[in-house]
Amino acid sequence: MSRTFFVGGNWKMNGSISKYQELVNNLKGARLDDNSEVVIAPPYMYLLPAQELLKGNNRIQIGAQDAYFKPSGAFTGEISSAMLKDAQISWVIIGHSERRTLFHETDDEVAKKVQAALDENVKVILCIGESLEQREKGDSIKVVIGQLDAAAKSVKDWSKVVIAYEPVWAIGTGKVATKEQAQEVHAAIRDWLVKAIGQGDAEKVRIIYGGSVSGANCKELAAQKDIDGFLVGGASLKPEFVDIVNARL
Ligand code: 13P
């Protein structure tokens, strides 16, 4: 498989000054697979301090967990992709299910945020995924492809985008998708990419899985043909994050 493995750590709204120092220092000191691209996404207030701690380290990149689509203005509480670019933050997570459900973010807003990030040259981890109800109705692939269709109109260069398939029912529940369930959706996403951008480019796009990934379950998922890495929540706050980064070793 020629795609570089990709592992993102989404800390969500967790951490503290001492915790981010511990996590970053642990990662810096760990042996990480050279073929694994690693991005950590701490809360906004720890982005720059984490960047400072990682000075001189070119193995670990930093991402934000969201960014608004306007570059600046009267949008209390928001930060923009223009600001991320200014601060040399190279990645941003967009469309996470917690944003979509708890903060009512629509497909249209997700598309605008993707557009704004790519316009600023900030790379995007685009999250998509179905709810339990949608899965039980047999609509998983339909939902995921619908979310992709909505965001795709903002993407001209897919080399700047990683697609994260995160079934909502698997996030933070300890109920990881089976390797067959995950591979089935990843293959459908790959087929969609082939139709959208052609076989050659579609083969280069990383499609990563998120939802209760752990040190214990990452290896068998990582062995699937279309699973090119992970977006990790809870386990990214623990030492086992290193095992997930090294899932292909
Ligand atoms: P958990 O790994 O805690 O299930 O979270 C997954 C996730 O939402 C990553 O973005």
Side-chain angles (χ1 to χ4, degrees):
M1 254 175 267
S2 58
R3 293 179 291 273
T4 304
F5 203 65
F6 183 103
V7 178
N10 176 8
W11 297 5
K12 309 192 180 183
M13 197 177 74
N14 291 299
S16 60
I17 290 173
S18 62
K19 182 71 178 172
Y20 94 74
Q21 287 171 337
E22 174 197 318
L23 289 169
V24 171
N25 283 327
N26 275 350
L27 262 186
K28 271 170 78 175
R31 183 176 160 247
L32 304 177
D33 182 352
D34 288 336
N35 297 314
S36 202
E37 189 171 354
V38 183
V39 176
I40 52 167
Y44 293 135
M45 65 182 296
Y46 304 128
L47 287 171
L48 292 182
Q51 188 182 53
E52 185 64 28
L53 263 190
L54 285 168
K55 229 176 209 157
N57 175 304
N58 59 7
R59 282 295 292 115
I60 303 158
Q61 303 171 78
I62 300 186
Q65 297 175 17
D66 187 30
Y68 196 50
F69 52 81
K70 297 278 190 180
S72 63
F75 304 103
T76 303
E78 296 294 321
I79 67 123
S80 69
S81 284
M83 291 170 176
L84 295 180
K85 181 189 184 183
D86 182 49
Q88 298 180 318
I89 303 297
S90 42
W91 288 90
V92 61
I93 298 171
I94 293 187
H96 192 280
S97 74
E98 286 147 20
R99 302 287 329 159
R100 293 178 189 261
T101 53
L102 301 174
F103 301 97
H104 314 294
E105 214 165 280
T106 63
D107 275 348
D108 184 49
E109 282 164 327
V110 170
K112 285 181 177 157
K113 288 181 172 189
V114 169
Q115 176 88 57
L118 295 176
D119 285 350
E120 298 292 352
N121 221 5
V122 177
K123 290 177 274 189
V124 171
I125 301 171
L126 170 64
C127 299
I128 53 178
E130 83 285 5
S131 66
L132 183 58
E133 195 188 349
Q134 290 164 331
R135 171 154 288 265
E136 284 172 347
K137 274 205 251 156
D139 285 345
S140 302
I141 288 173
K142 190 174 109 190
V143 168
V144 159
I145 297 303
Q147 290 169 334
L148 260 184
D149 272 329
K153 56 179 188 276
S154 299
V155 183
K156 285 178 205 76
D157 180 359
W158 282 92
S159 73
K160 303 280 195 305
V161 179
V162 167
I163 299 171
Y165 168 56
E166 298 205 297
V168 178
W169 48 271
I171 295 177
T173 58
K175 197 168 176 265
V176 66
T178 64
K179 58 186 193 305
E180 293 82 9
Q181 285 172 324
Q183 169 56 29
E184 183 192 21
V185 178
H186 283 229
I189 295 170
R190 185 84 59 207
D191 286 347
W192 179 91
L193 283 166
V194 169
K195 288 191 198 96
I197 56 174
Q199 183 88 36
D201 286 340
E203 288 295 336
K204 294 183 194 142
V205 179
R206 271 84 58 89
I207 307 170
I208 64 176
Y209 168 81
S212 297
V213 176
S214 69
N217 61 32
C218 62
K219 276 193 183 289
E220 69 169 9
L221 287 162
Q224 300 303 301
K225 180 172 169 285
D226 291 291
I227 298 183
D228 306 315
F230 300 110
L231 189 55
V232 186
S236 70
L237 302 165
K238 300 181 188 158
E240 72 186 281
F241 184 63
V242 171
D243 302 328
I244 300 171
V245 169
N246 293 338
R248 287 250 175 97
L249 274 186

